[in-house]
PDB file of all heavy atoms in Angstrom:
ATOM      1  N   THR P  42      12.226  32.248   4.053  1.00  0.00           N
ATOM      2  CA  THR P  42      12.101  32.665   5.466  1.00  0.00           C
ATOM      3  C   THR P  42      13.457  32.950   6.078  1.00  0.00           C
ATOM      4  O   THR P  42      13.671  33.959   6.749  1.00  0.00           O
ATOM      5  CB  THR P  42      11.387  31.557   6.262  1.00  0.00           C
ATOM      6  OG1 THR P  42      10.108  31.329   5.684  1.00  0.00           O
ATOM      7  CG2 THR P  42      11.226  31.943   7.730  1.00  0.00           C
ATOM      8  N   GLY P  47      14.171  42.385   7.455  1.00  0.00           N
ATOM      9  CA  GLY P  47      13.512  43.536   8.085  1.00  0.00           C
ATOM     10  C   GLY P  47      12.714  43.155   9.309  1.00  0.00           C
ATOM     11  O   GLY P  47      12.923  43.691  10.406  1.00  0.00           O
ATOM     12  N   GLY P  48      11.787  42.217   9.190  1.00  0.00           N
ATOM     13  CA  GLY P  48      11.009  41.810  10.339  1.00  0.00           C
ATOM     14  C   GLY P  48       9.593  41.421  10.005  1.00  0.00           C
ATOM     15  O   GLY P  48       9.259  41.139   8.861  1.00  0.00           O
ATOM     16  N   ASP P 207       7.356  26.109  -7.425  1.00  0.00           N
ATOM     17  CA  ASP P 207       6.869  24.738  -7.654  1.00  0.00           C
ATOM     18  C   ASP P 207       5.400  24.548  -7.238  1.00  0.00           C
ATOM     19  O   ASP P 207       4.619  23.935  -7.984  1.00  0.00           O
ATOM     20  CB  ASP P 207       7.712  23.712  -6.855  1.00  0.00           C
ATOM     21  CG  ASP P 207       9.167  23.685  -7.295  1.00  0.00           C
ATOM     22  OD1 ASP P 207       9.546  24.465  -8.184  1.00  0.00           O
ATOM     23  OD2 ASP P 207       9.926  22.879  -6.724  1.00  0.00           O
ATOM     24  N   GLU P 361       3.920  32.311   0.919  1.00  0.00           N
ATOM     25  CA  GLU P 361       4.141  33.068  -0.328  1.00  0.00           C
ATOM     26  C   GLU P 361       3.542  32.400  -1.557  1.00  0.00           C
ATOM     27  O   GLU P 361       3.232  33.068  -2.542  1.00  0.00           O
ATOM     28  CB  GLU P 361       5.646  33.327  -0.508  1.00  0.00           C
ATOM     29  CG  GLU P 361       5.905  34.398  -1.543  1.00  0.00           C
ATOM     30  CD  GLU P 361       7.333  34.917  -1.547  1.00  0.00           C
ATOM     31  OE1 GLU P 361       8.025  34.813  -0.513  1.00  0.00           O
ATOM     32  OE2 GLU P 361       7.749  35.427  -2.601  1.00  0.00           O
ATOM     33  N   SER P 377       4.459  39.843   4.898  1.00  0.00           N
ATOM     34  CA  SER P 377       4.391  38.465   4.383  1.00  0.00           C
ATOM     35  C   SER P 377       4.658  37.421   5.451  1.00  0.00           C
ATOM     36  O   SER P 377       4.003  36.375   5.489  1.00  0.00           O
ATOM     37  CB  SER P 377       5.343  38.283   3.202  1.00  0.00           C
ATOM     38  OG  SER P 377       6.532  38.949   3.423  1.00  0.00           O
ATOM     39  N   LEU P 378       5.609  37.691   6.339  1.00  0.00           N
ATOM     40  CA  LEU P 378       5.834  36.718   7.421  1.00  0.00           C
ATOM     41  C   LEU P 378       4.576  36.637   8.288  1.00  0.00           C
ATOM     42  O   LEU P 378       4.161  35.556   8.722  1.00  0.00           O
ATOM     43  CB  LEU P 378       7.039  37.139   8.271  1.00  0.00           C
ATOM     44  CG  LEU P 378       8.408  37.049   7.586  1.00  0.00           C
ATOM     45  CD1 LEU P 378       9.493  37.680   8.444  1.00  0.00           C
ATOM     46  CD2 LEU P 378       8.796  35.592   7.280  1.00  0.00           C
TER      47      LEU P 378
HETATM   48  C1  FAD N   1      15.982  38.360   1.133  1.00  0.00           C
HETATM   49  C2  FAD N   1      14.551  38.368   1.607  1.00  0.00           C
HETATM   50  C3  FAD N   1      14.169  39.215   2.639  1.00  0.00           C
HETATM   51  C4  FAD N   1      12.856  39.232   3.090  1.00  0.00           C
HETATM   52  N1  FAD N   1      12.523  40.034   4.148  1.00  0.00           N
HETATM   53  C5  FAD N   1      11.267  39.976   4.640  1.00  0.00           C
HETATM   54  C6  FAD N   1      10.917  40.698   5.805  1.00  0.00           C
HETATM   55  O1  FAD N   1      11.739  41.368   6.410  1.00  0.00           O
HETATM   56  N2  FAD N   1       9.637  40.596   6.246  1.00  0.00           N
HETATM   57  C7  FAD N   1       8.690  39.848   5.625  1.00  0.00           C
HETATM   58  O2  FAD N   1       7.544  39.798   6.077  1.00  0.00           O
HETATM   59  N3  FAD N   1       9.012  39.131   4.523  1.00  0.00           N
HETATM   60  C8  FAD N   1      10.266  39.171   4.033  1.00  0.00           C
HETATM   61  N4  FAD N   1      10.578  38.442   2.927  1.00  0.00           N
HETATM   62  C9  FAD N   1       9.569  37.553   2.360  1.00  0.00           C
HETATM   63  C10 FAD N   1       9.395  36.354   3.278  1.00  0.00           C
HETATM   64  O3  FAD N   1      10.662  35.927   3.729  1.00  0.00           O
HETATM   65  C11 FAD N   1       8.711  35.199   2.566  1.00  0.00           C
HETATM   66  O4  FAD N   1       7.553  35.650   1.943  1.00  0.00           O
HETATM   67  C12 FAD N   1       8.332  34.110   3.541  1.00  0.00           C
HETATM   68  O5  FAD N   1       9.443  33.729   4.300  1.00  0.00           O
HETATM   69  C13 FAD N   1       7.782  32.912   2.784  1.00  0.00           C
HETATM   70  O6  FAD N   1       7.610  31.865   3.678  1.00  0.00           O
HETATM   71  P1  FAD N   1       7.038  30.491   3.140  1.00  0.00           P
HETATM   72  O7  FAD N   1       6.997  29.583   4.317  1.00  0.00           O
HETATM   73  O8  FAD N   1       5.802  30.726   2.388  1.00  0.00           O
HETATM   74  O9  FAD N   1       8.112  29.990   2.069  1.00  0.00           O
HETATM   75  P2  FAD N   1       9.678  29.695   2.208  1.00  0.00           P
HETATM   76  O10 FAD N   1      10.204  30.232   3.479  1.00  0.00           O
HETATM   77  O11 FAD N   1      10.325  30.126   0.968  1.00  0.00           O
HETATM   78  O12 FAD N   1       9.718  28.108   2.278  1.00  0.00           O
HETATM   79  C14 FAD N   1       9.404  27.329   1.147  1.00  0.00           C
HETATM   80  C15 FAD N   1       9.757  25.894   1.428  1.00  0.00           C
HETATM   81  O13 FAD N   1       9.236  25.041   0.421  1.00  0.00           O
HETATM   82  C16 FAD N   1      10.244  24.116  -0.005  1.00  0.00           C
HETATM   83  N5  FAD N   1       9.916  23.694  -1.365  1.00  0.00           N
HETATM   84  C17 FAD N   1       9.729  24.465  -2.460  1.00  0.00           C
HETATM   85  N6  FAD N   1       9.402  23.685  -3.525  1.00  0.00           N
HETATM   86  C18 FAD N   1       9.370  22.408  -3.097  1.00  0.00           C
HETATM   87  C19 FAD N   1       9.116  21.143  -3.708  1.00  0.00           C
HETATM   88  N7  FAD N   1       8.830  21.026  -5.006  1.00  0.00           N
HETATM   89  N8  FAD N   1       9.194  20.018  -2.952  1.00  0.00           N
HETATM   90  C20 FAD N   1       9.509  20.087  -1.635  1.00  0.00           C
HETATM   91  N9  FAD N   1       9.770  21.257  -0.995  1.00  0.00           N
HETATM   92  C21 FAD N   1       9.695  22.396  -1.711  1.00  0.00           C
HETATM   93  C22 FAD N   1      11.518  24.916   0.142  1.00  0.00           C
HETATM   94  O14 FAD N   1      12.651  24.084   0.138  1.00  0.00           O
HETATM   95  C23 FAD N   1      11.262  25.623   1.475  1.00  0.00           C
HETATM   96  O15 FAD N   1      11.512  24.758   2.550  1.00  0.00           O
HETATM   97  C24 FAD N   1      11.898  38.410   2.461  1.00  0.00           C
HETATM   98  C25 FAD N   1      12.267  37.569   1.431  1.00  0.00           C
HETATM   99  C26 FAD N   1      13.586  37.534   0.999  1.00  0.00           C
HETATM  100  C27 FAD N   1      13.987  36.611  -0.104  1.00  0.00           C
END
Side-chain angles (χ1 to χ4, degrees):
T42 301
D207 297 2
E361 195 167 337
S377 39
L378 292 171

